Amino acid sequence: MKLYLSTPSHRYRIWPTSAAVGVTMMSLMLLAAPAIAEPTIDNLQTGEHHQALDTLRASSRAFSTIGKTVSPAVVSIRVEQTIRGVADPSDPFGSNPYGEDLAKKFFGDQYEQYRKFHQSPQRPRERQVRGEGSGFLVSADGHILTNHHVVGSADKVTVRLHDGREMEATLIGSDKKSDVAVIKIDAKNLPFIPLADSDQLDVGEWVLAFGSPFGLTNSMTAGIVSAKGRTGVGIVDYENFIQTDAAINPGNSGGPLVNLDGEVVGINTAIASRSGGYQGIGFAIPINLARNIRDQLVNSGTVRRGFLGILIQSLSTDMAKAFGSADTKGVLIGGVGDDSPAKKAGLLREDIIVQLDGKRVVHPGAFRNRVAMLAPGTEVLLTVLRDGHRKQISVTLGELPTPEKQHAQNESRQESLEEETMESLGLAVETLTPELAERLGYEEQPQGVVISKVARGSLAQTAGLRPGVLILEVNRQKIDSAEVFKQALDTTRDDGIVLMLVQDQGSTRFITLKWKE
């Protein structure tokens, strides 16, 4: 018996191996099958049918009521930005949507001359970029929640209200790490949408997405919550997305995702699609996260996040067994930063964090989000698994450094190390961070130092070292920071030989270097 799938109708067709058997089976089926009445209008006039219709009509009225209640507070956003710069030599045709192939056909033999002329690096270019998105009012005095990627870089933001009025908006604040932004229009007594508790949202609940997909204002789609706590999507730094199959399309960004009570549970943000259009997977920022960011932006214009100062990773089954954990839930500490809150509290590399303030820790992304949402100075209680035994450790959170501040701190810490190692071994290093690990392909490595410089003709270059190589150990001592690397080097001076375990292009190897006399 062969099974075939009919592509147009997606029906299964069963083909018997014997024609005789097929005829016999068909005859038996025809004799046994009850008579099926032809559908008529009279068949529909039953109590059961009317009851089903009443249920559907009630659902339809519920959706309609939510739409009438929520829509007046949903806004369309138009942004404008002037991009200034010089022409990109690799893109001689600028924003030409037809590309290089059409230019070759058009210019023919003169194409090369045209290309060289337009590759002048001195040719200035200024272009106007326009975009559209959505948002929703969260206060009667004109505060609007939307996405950072909608308004964060705009020179001008124009809001169109449900009643047709257009107003220029002021950017109150924008947070790239969470993709949340707050803008404000100068108006009073505006309709606004109440915010729900997104932690109480359940998978399978009905939700409705509002916005202006493809510039089509006052649009509403319905679906269910497909999943919660989506991390690792790769859209923003702090991800805890609600996944929904309510249709979300370009232009929906920044609009509200609401529950059946007409309360906002999330901000529509992104779609997973191969074509750029709706394919049943949309993502929304939980409103509890967005509310926290909004309050900080409105009150201070900036966002401050809690900071532990550790490198964390998920647990595999083998790792869990090796560290004495009964399951893979929890996060493994792969490194503890010097002078960090974690270091001061006594957290160690190889500790497994299983609870934060009594609540179970399951995934690194979710744990990172929970810590970041807490204010600096907050005292938290961590339950860790160390050598197979549970231990509770109290930690006072620090403040997550801004990229600029972190860079300045790294530069300051590395100055003395670079001077010393460049003179002797001919290399400089920097501590492996999550950002560096992702960029260089070292996500699976919890700690180490990355070579940032190698002097020409140095011992390091002779040994085959180059920028980007990860140093894991020095004289069999694990390295988790530039400072530890420096300390480990100091212990090798008497021996005169440095044994290093390094990783490069997915493989590890030992190398030796000799201190200069």
Side-chain angles (χ1 to χ4, degrees):
M1 187 179 295
K2 295 183 179 180
L3 188 66
Y4 294 91
L5 183 64
S6 178
T7 303
S9 62
H10 295 283
R11 291 178 297 181
Y12 289 102
R13 300 179 62 192
I14 300 176
W15 296 92
T17 56
S18 167
V21 172
V23 171
T24 303
M25 291 298 295
M26 181 62 72
S27 301
L28 291 173
M29 290 172 64
L30 289 173
L31 289 172
I36 300 176
E38 289 291 327
T40 66
I41 294 297
D42 291 338
N43 297 145
L44 301 180
Q45 307 304 318
T46 64
E48 184 178 349
H49 174 71
H50 284 301
Q51 184 178 1
L53 284 181
D54 288 342
T55 301
L56 290 175
R57 289 191 180 106
S59 299
S60 178
R61 285 193 297 270
F63 288 156
S64 179
T65 300
I66 296 170
K68 291 175 182 177
T69 304
V70 171
S71 291
V74 180
V75 304
S76 299
I77 297 175
R78 186 173 68 250
V79 297
E80 300 176 24
Q81 181 185 7
T82 300
I83 297 180
R84 300 174 179 86
V86 296
D88 182 356
S90 65
D91 180 21
F93 307 106
S95 58
N96 174 16
Y98 302 105
E100 188 174 354
D101 290 339
L102 183 63
K104 286 181 179 179
K105 292 179 181 178
F106 184 82
F107 289 100
D109 295 339
Q110 304 299 316
Y111 166 73
E112 283 298 324
Q113 183 177 352
Y114 173 84
R115 183 182 63 82
K116 290 177 181 178
F117 173 77
H118 279 267
Q119 278 187 334
S120 170
Q122 301 304 318
R123 180 169 58 91
R125 185 173 67 181
E126 181 177 296
R127 56 193 175 97
Q128 197 77 14
V129 177
R130 294 179 176 86
E132 293 180 332
S134 306
F136 55 99
L137 288 152
V138 292
S139 68
D141 62 352
H143 283 96
I144 296 169
L145 268 177
T146 185
N147 285 136
H148 164 83
H149 77 258
V150 173
V151 299
S153 302
D155 298 322
K156 182 179 179 181
V157 179
T158 303
V159 170
R160 182 181 176 86
L161 300 177
H162 185 262
D163 59 15
R165 287 182 291 169
E166 288 194 356
M167 303 179 186
E168 189 167 342
T170 302
L171 179 64
I172 300 299
S174 191
D175 180 48
K176 184 178 180 180
K177 290 181 178 293
S178 64
D179 200 18
V180 174
V182 182
I183 59 176
K184 189 179 185 303
I185 54 176
D186 188 11
K188 302 293 182 183
N189 301 318
L190 294 168
F192 63 93
I193 318 176
L195 307 183
D197 179 0
S198 54
D199 289 344
Q200 301 304 312
L201 191 66
D202 289 324
V203 173
E205 280 193 46
W206 278 99
V207 286
L208 294 93
F210 291 80
S212 304
F214 303 108
L216 302 172
T217 59
N218 305 324
S219 293
M220 177 182 81
T221 56
I224 63 168
V225 175
S226 306
K228 291 176 57 181
R230 286 290 191 216
T231 60
V233 181
I235 300 172
V236 290
D237 289 355
Y238 293 93
E239 297 180 336
N240 186 29
F241 290 117
I242 300 166
Q243 181 184 322
T244 178
D245 66 352
I248 295 176
N249 282 291
N252 268 119
S253 288
L257 186 72
V258 305
N259 60 19
L260 292 182
D261 294 319
E263 301 170 329
V264 181
V265 295
I267 303 177
N268 304 325
T269 297
I271 56 176
S273 172
R274 293 179 179 177
S275 64
Y278 167 70
Q279 288 190 321
I281 299 179
F283 299 105
I285 300 167
I287 201 61
N288 285 5
L289 170 61
R291 182 193 285 114
N292 179 289
I293 302 300
R294 177 206 62 179
D295 292 345
Q296 294 192 62
L297 291 176
V298 170
N299 293 332
S300 64
T302 59
V303 176
R304 301 175 67 214
R305 291 183 167 89
F307 175 67
L308 272 173
I310 56 177
L311 287 172
I312 56 176
Q313 63 183 105
S314 57
L315 282 168
S316 66
T317 302
D318 291 339
M319 290 173 62
K321 290 181 180 178
F323 288 108
S325 177
D327 53 43
T328 59
K329 293 180 180 179
V331 295
L332 175 65
I333 298 179
V336 180
D338 287 341
D339 200 34
S340 65
K343 185 85 169 182
K344 295 174 183 177
L347 286 170
L348 302 176
R349 186 175 66 229
E350 299 183 3
D351 281 347
I352 298 174
I353 302 175
V354 294
Q355 287 185 356
L356 169 60
D357 285 337
K359 293 183 179 180
R360 190 73 187 265
V361 172
V362 178
H363 189 275
F367 175 75
R368 185 168 174 255
N369 290 336
R370 286 168 60 185
V371 171
M373 285 186 67
L374 297 171
T378 301
E379 186 173 337
V380 298
L381 184 64
L382 298 178
T383 302
V384 303
L385 194 63
R386 181 182 295 174
D387 298 327
H389 302 285
R390 290 200 169 211
K391 182 180 180 67
Q392 291 190 325
I393 297 177
S394 179
V395 186
T396 300
L397 299 179
E399 181 176 353
L400 181 69
T402 62
E404 295 78 11
K405 184 177 180 181
Q406 184 69 54
H407 180 71
Q409 290 175 346
N410 290 342
E411 288 287 322
S412 175
R413 284 200 302 265
Q414 285 185 191
E415 282 181 0
S416 60
L417 174 62
E418 286 191 8
E419 181 179 351
E420 181 177 351
T421 57
M422 285 297 287
E423 287 181 359
S424 54
L425 299 179
L427 60 81
V429 301
E430 55 183 306
T431 303
L432 182 68
T433 63
E435 293 77 18
L436 267 177
E438 182 178 359
R439 178 155 54 90
L440 299 176
Y442 294 129
E443 293 94 338
E444 299 300 321
Q445 283 296 342
Q447 81 281 317
V449 292
V450 178
I451 297 176
S452 57
K453 297 177 185 177
V454 174
R456 182 174 298 179
S458 64
L459 293 174
Q461 187 185 51
T462 303
L465 295 177
R466 59 180 180 80
V469 170
L470 182 67
I471 300 175
L472 301 172
E473 297 180 5
V474 172
N475 280 17
R476 299 186 178 179
Q477 176 186 346
K478 291 183 178 180
I479 303 300
D480 59 11
S481 70
E483 288 78 5
V484 172
F485 177 72
K486 179 181 183 300
Q487 294 167 5
L489 286 181
D490 288 341
T491 64
T492 67
R493 286 188 178 275
D494 292 340
D495 298 332
I497 299 294
V498 184
L499 175 66
M500 292 185 185
L501 176 63
V502 302
Q503 180 174 335
D504 186 18
Q505 297 180 347
S507 62
T508 57
R509 70 182 192 276
F510 284 100
I511 65 166
T512 57
L513 298 174
K514 186 175 181 180
W515 286 103
K516 288 183 177 180
E517 298 296 336

